[in-house]
């Protein structure tokens, strides 16, 4: 009623209509209402679109391309959005692209935010992890202090439930063969993926037959307070040590610099970057260390001993039994596992930690058969302090 009156009054105004004082104002009002409704509709739609895409951006989704209206209304990003690791570990980068991206190192050494250093647990497996239930207990309650990466055969499809610490922690993987460069490539791929998370400070390589023999608190403290990185590295005479050296590796590697060590290492961020960026030693080892030279036992220990001798503990954190001889270490099953067995591993060896003698030398042990899982779960609390 009100509107109509106003319209009629406006109709009398010579400025509103010209030829027909009664028809034109009505049409004008029509258009006015139409524009009002359309305008309102558009703004509601665009607000919802903004809210929708805005929320997606916070989850790390790519921004919408070419939509200027959305870009200028987006909240300015803080440092968090530049340091937050991707929740989705899957990507389409090839190794060249991945290693390049992972080799970024900040030149300003002081972090402008509170950085809690994490340990990256990198599992190099063929398929499933038989000791997953024990590892779940190991990690429980320590969120924010670790991250997990799994490299397995490309054919293996992991089916961990969303409640598992291993859920969606697979990285893009390729076939890795024992004693071949493809094994080192897999280890480099694990390191590179883990380096993408700026919080990762220490990097541990583990296999499916590895178990923890200390709880997380002890392991975290032991590793983060160590001056050295735990990579086995020794100069061994005989056919399985210096005997595997090929003089064609000189001058990059001389016989006296040739080192051997088990594959299961722990390195800090500096060494991890050195490993993935290497292009000096890699071609030499690839070409001149082939079976019976097992490259995964020589490449990293030799290269790091040449370039970073002062960062190397020259011993590993993973206990293993070579006493039976042969090409493979002993595997322990259900009947081997006992409290006495682990007492020897946990405190029966002498070594040095930060240049001081100690009997706490190992945080992990291998190799265990899947049949050992039940007895291990039963003694974990009492013997390992894993509750
Ligand atoms: C290896 O030995 C040669 C000759 O003795 C020497 O010139 C070269 O610098 C050595 N290489 C390294 C990496 O030390
Ligand atoms: C490890 O070995 C290197 C030589 O390869 C040596 O310089 C370094 O001091 C050793 N590290 C420790 C902790 O003894
Ligand atoms: C470790 O060192 C202690 C003291 O030096 C010695 O009594 C013990 O026998 C050593 N243990 C081993 C396994 O060598
Ligand atoms: C971890 O193990 C140590 C003994 O090795 C024990 O003193 C400590 O209470 C355990 N920590 C947790 C959180 O269970």
């Amino acid at each position: 009623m009100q509107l109509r009156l106003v319209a009629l009054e406006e109709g009398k105004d010579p400025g509103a209509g010209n030829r027909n004082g009664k028809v034109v104002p009505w049409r004008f009002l029509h258009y006015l209402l139409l524009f009002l409704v359309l305008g309102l509709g558009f703004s509601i739609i665009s607000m919802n679109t903004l809210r929708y895409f805005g929320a997606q951006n916070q989850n790390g989704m790519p921004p919408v391309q070419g939509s200027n209206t959305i870009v200028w209304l987006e909240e300015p990003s803080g440092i968090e959005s530049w340091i937050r690791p991707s929740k989705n570990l899957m990507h389409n980068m090839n190794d060249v692209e991945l290693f390049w991206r992972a080799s970024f190192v900040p030149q300003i050494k002081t972090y402008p935010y509170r950085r809690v250093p994490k340990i990256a647990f990198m599992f190099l497996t063929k398929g499933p992890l038989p000791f997953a239930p024990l590892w779940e207990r190991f990690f429980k309650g320590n969120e924010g202090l670790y991250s997990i990466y799994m490299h397995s055969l490309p054919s293996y499809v992991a089916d961990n439930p969303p409640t598992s610490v291993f859920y969606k922690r697979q990285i893009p993987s390729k076939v890795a063969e024992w004693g071949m460069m493809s094994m080192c490539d897999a280890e480099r791929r694990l390191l590179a993926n883990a380096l993408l998370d700026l919080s990762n400070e220490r990097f541990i390589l583990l296999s499916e037959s590895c178990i923890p023999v200390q709880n997380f608190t002890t392991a975290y403290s032991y590793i983060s307070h160590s001056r050295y990185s735990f990579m086995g590295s020794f100069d061994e005479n005989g056919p399985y040590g210096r005997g595997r050296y090929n003089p064609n590796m000189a001058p990059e590697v001389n016989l006296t610099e040739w080192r051997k060590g088990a594959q299961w290492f722990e390195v800090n961020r500096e060494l991890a970057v050195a490993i993935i960026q290497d292009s000096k030693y890699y071609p030499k080892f690839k070409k001149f260390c082939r079976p019976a030279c097992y490259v995964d036992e020589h490449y990293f220990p030799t290269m790091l001993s040449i370039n970073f001798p002062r960062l190397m503990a020259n011993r590993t954190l993973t206990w293993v039994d070579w006493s039976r001889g042969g090409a493979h270490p002993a595997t322990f099953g259900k009947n081997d596992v006992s409290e006495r067995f682990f007492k020897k591993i946990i405190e029966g060896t002498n070594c040095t930690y930060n240049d001081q003698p100690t009997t706490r030398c190992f945080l992990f042990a291998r190799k265990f058969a899947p049949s050992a899982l039940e007895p291990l779960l039963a003694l974990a609390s009492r013997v390992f302090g894993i509750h």
Side-chain angles (χ1 to χ4, degrees):
M1 228 18 217
Q2 284 278 18
L3 262 173
R4 190 187 239 172
L5 276 173
V6 172
L8 283 172
E9 298 237 307
E10 274 183 349
K12 282 175 198 156
D13 182 2
N18 23 33
R19 281 173 304 159
N20 194 325
K22 269 176 191 165
V23 179
V24 176
W26 267 112
R27 200 174 283 163
F28 172 76
L29 187 73
H30 246 112
Y31 284 130
L32 198 81
L33 276 171
L34 195 72
F35 273 119
L36 212 77
V37 169
L38 274 177
L40 214 76
F42 267 120
S43 51
I44 287 170
I45 287 169
S46 62
M47 270 162 73
N48 279 332
T49 317
L50 178 71
R51 205 175 299 159
Y52 175 69
F53 285 113
Q56 280 214 334
N57 276 337
Q58 280 180 355
N59 290 336
M61 299 293 275
V64 191
Q65 279 179 5
S67 42
N68 293 331
T69 41
I70 288 167
V71 170
W72 72 260
L73 282 167
E74 202 181 300
E75 293 220 347
S77 62
I79 183 79
E80 299 78 23
S81 68
W82 292 91
I83 57 178
R84 192 189 306 119
S86 171
K87 281 212 163 55
N88 183 4
L89 295 188
M90 281 298 166
H91 55 73
N92 291 327
M93 283 186 279
N94 61 33
D95 283 352
V96 174
E97 294 164 338
L98 169 68
F99 290 10
W100 174 79
R101 182 63 186 83
S103 71
F104 286 21
V105 175
Q107 296 305 302
I108 294 177
K109 300 299 174 194
T110 313
Y111 292 93
Y113 58 93
R114 203 177 84 87
R115 176 179 184 260
V116 179
K118 289 196 290 187
I119 297 182
F121 289 80
M122 311 181 300
F123 289 89
L124 182 57
T125 72
K126 290 186 197 73
L129 205 58
F131 300 109
L134 180 60
W135 285 108
E136 297 271 2
R137 265 166 70 176
F138 174 81
F139 288 116
K140 205 175 121 202
N142 298 289
E143 292 71 26
L145 296 177
Y146 67 85
S147 31
I148 294 172
Y149 301 86
M150 315 279 292
H151 185 291
S152 22
L153 288 176
S155 54
Y156 171 66
V157 181
D159 62 344
N160 298 300
T163 49
S164 164
V165 296
F166 299 105
Y167 181 64
K168 288 201 170 168
R169 299 310 296 176
Q170 297 285 134
I171 62 158
S173 307
K174 290 183 189 168
V175 173
E177 291 162 287
W178 186 65
M180 307 292 284
M181 205 51 163
S182 58
M183 186 63 85
C184 297
D185 290 337
E187 295 171 16
R188 280 154 59 97
R189 205 171 292 125
L190 274 164
L191 283 171
N193 279 282
L195 278 166
L196 295 180
D197 183 343
L198 295 173
S199 301
N200 287 329
E201 185 56 36
R202 298 286 191 147
F203 304 78
I204 301 178
L205 184 69
L206 298 155
S207 81
E208 60 237 279
S209 66
C210 286
I211 60 158
V213 297
Q214 298 281 0
N215 61 27
F216 186 91
T217 317
T218 304
Y220 185 88
S221 161
Y222 194 95
I223 291 165
S224 31
H225 290 122
S226 171
R227 240 173 264 158
Y228 306 109
S229 285
F230 296 94
M231 177 169 296
S233 173
F234 45 92
D235 183 5
E236 184 185 293
N237 282 313
Y240 308 119
R242 287 196 177 199
R244 292 179 182 170
Y245 173 77
N246 182 330
N248 286 315
M249 289 189 183
E252 282 82 1
V253 182
N254 292 337
L255 180 63
T256 53
E257 294 165 327
W258 185 249
R259 292 289 181 277
K260 180 177 177 176
Q263 172 186 14
W264 313 105
F265 60 72
E266 181 277 326
V267 291
N268 69 9
R269 206 171 165 92
E270 184 182 359
L271 299 189
V273 172
I275 289 174
I276 60 137
Q277 71 161 13
D278 173 49
S279 59
K280 180 176 173 186
Y281 302 94
Y282 184 94
K284 287 276 173 164
F285 278 87
K286 188 173 175 135
K287 196 163 172 198
F288 300 116
C289 181
R290 293 160 175 270
C293 175
Y294 299 106
V295 70
D296 51 72
E297 294 181 352
H298 299 280
Y299 172 35
F300 300 151
T302 302
M303 176 184 75
L304 295 180
S305 292
I306 292 173
N307 293 300
F308 303 92
R310 283 194 307 250
L311 291 182
M312 303 276 287
N314 304 323
R315 68 177 177 93
T316 175
L317 292 175
T318 306
W319 180 90
V320 68
D321 180 14
W322 284 101
S323 66
R324 292 184 197 176
H328 294 278
T331 300
F332 300 98
K334 194 169 143 192
N335 299 324
D336 303 297
V337 168
S338 69
E339 192 164 344
R340 228 176 89 223
F341 175 85
F342 285 111
K343 275 279 179 296
K344 270 200 324 211
I345 296 174
I346 293 169
E347 53 187 29
T349 317
N350 290 327
C351 61
T352 60
Y353 176 78
N354 286 343
D355 305 318
Q356 299 300 313
T358 179
T359 53
R360 185 174 277 178
C361 304
F362 300 109
L363 304 178
F364 312 101
R366 62 191 280 267
K367 299 170 72 167
F368 291 88
S371 70
L373 178 64
E374 286 310 318
L376 282 172
L377 287 174
L379 58 72
S381 178
R382 191 163 27 97
V383 182
F384 305 151
I386 299 174
H387 306 296

